[in-house]
Amino acid sequence: MAPGLPPVLERPHFIGIGGAGMSGIAKILARRGARVAGSDARESATAGALRALGVRVHIGHAAGHLAVDATAVVVSSAIREDNPELAAARERGIEVVHRSDALAALMDGLRPLAVAGTHGKTTTTSMLAVALRTMGLDPSYAIGGDLDGPGTNAHHGEGEIFVAEADESDRSFHKYAPEVAIVLNVELDHHANYASLAEIHESFETFADRLRPGGTLVVSADHEGARELTARLRARKAPGEPRIVTYGEAADADARVLKTVPRGLTSEVTVRHEGVELTFTVSVPGRHYAHNAVAALAAGAALGVPADRLAAALTSYTGVSRRLQPKGEARGVRVIDSYAHHPTEMAADLEAVRDAAEDGRVLVLFQPHLFSRTRELGAEMGRALALADSSVVLEIYPAREDPVPGVTSALVVDAARAAGAAVRAESDPERAVAALAGMTEPGDLVLTMGAGDVTELGPALLDRLAK
């Protein structure tokens, strides 16, 4: 039941097509019949998956990659103005479309469910996508991580529901008009775009105002920033305000978490929703992931999906790439990949795996992400690492940012040592892997942690241990 393509997206060219957000939109457009092309800085499995759909993918950026008949150039906020393909598009008068506008266009004519929050968006969106798919509802979805391998971060479904991550980092989530929205938490992050927590609150309030008439906002009853958002919205008492459904352990939560029982790398959660108690299994450890599942349950129910059937279907979720993803075991040492890069996420994942480690130690190979984030939150990152038994810290992964004088991973290392953590700095990834391998003992659990290319070091560590 997919709506037709807007003319501007019939022959789009994506700059940075291999990115998590961009590749998903490109995939859905290709499935809907668009003639999609794009470029990326390097070859990847994602680029290969797109080519299998008929997408033309160039490696490297050059003005000549832009087709003569391209109807639009799609960009993310990470693309700089001096990119040769973007410059060529402007010279030729080709419309430049932000990826959020392209995603918003894909949701037109469907029933969008948008997942927002400083942490947990990818996991919660994935839980919903998998559960709704298991129920046979065939939703469309766009996720910031792969469900089942490269190229599985998006799907063009025949159902009426579209589940999407709503990114607050650049305020692009203001472009969406969901029928149901989730706000998992509200914290200060993305310091290059937000000067204060007050600006973050205003941004999430604007997002809530984008809900369709008669829509529902599902929001955490436990998280301080989310409760502040709820209070702001309820204080307005204006006509047409969205229905608010809260979830969590708080006594006043509408979908109240009664208990969470850890079971190794899974957990069992019991929730009271609309007077009915439901118990189901969550495939990843930790209270925060159990709460993500309850948010998914409440949001699906707001769309009219039977809560008991949805709870059973949520059990079929088996994780998503980089969100406490088991990478393997060698010589009795388990390696798990964590995308955590904000101190709150880091602490939550470390606490979650502590039970799974049982009598073994928890070791971390951590890579700070972004100079701006490390400048503002480096001390908190270091204190979070004190929850591990031992850590190795790499240099900062810059992503889209230029270096900032005086901002290095030493900010994290010094704070960790001040908090009593056993930590060492290592600038060379190969030496970091060797150092960590030398620390491990059978029964230990190792986390490769961060949003950058530290994810590639888990397999390298396993290979070294095996040899």
Side-chain angles (χ1 to χ4, degrees), residues 357-371:
E358 298 177 341
D359 296 330
R361 298 174 304 160
V362 175
L363 310 180
V364 177
L365 179 56
F366 177 61
Q367 182 184 52
H369 187 257
L370 298 179
F371 293 100

Side-chain angles (χ1 to χ4, degrees), residues 58 62-67 85:
H58 303 275
H65 294 335
L66 188 58
E85 292 162 30

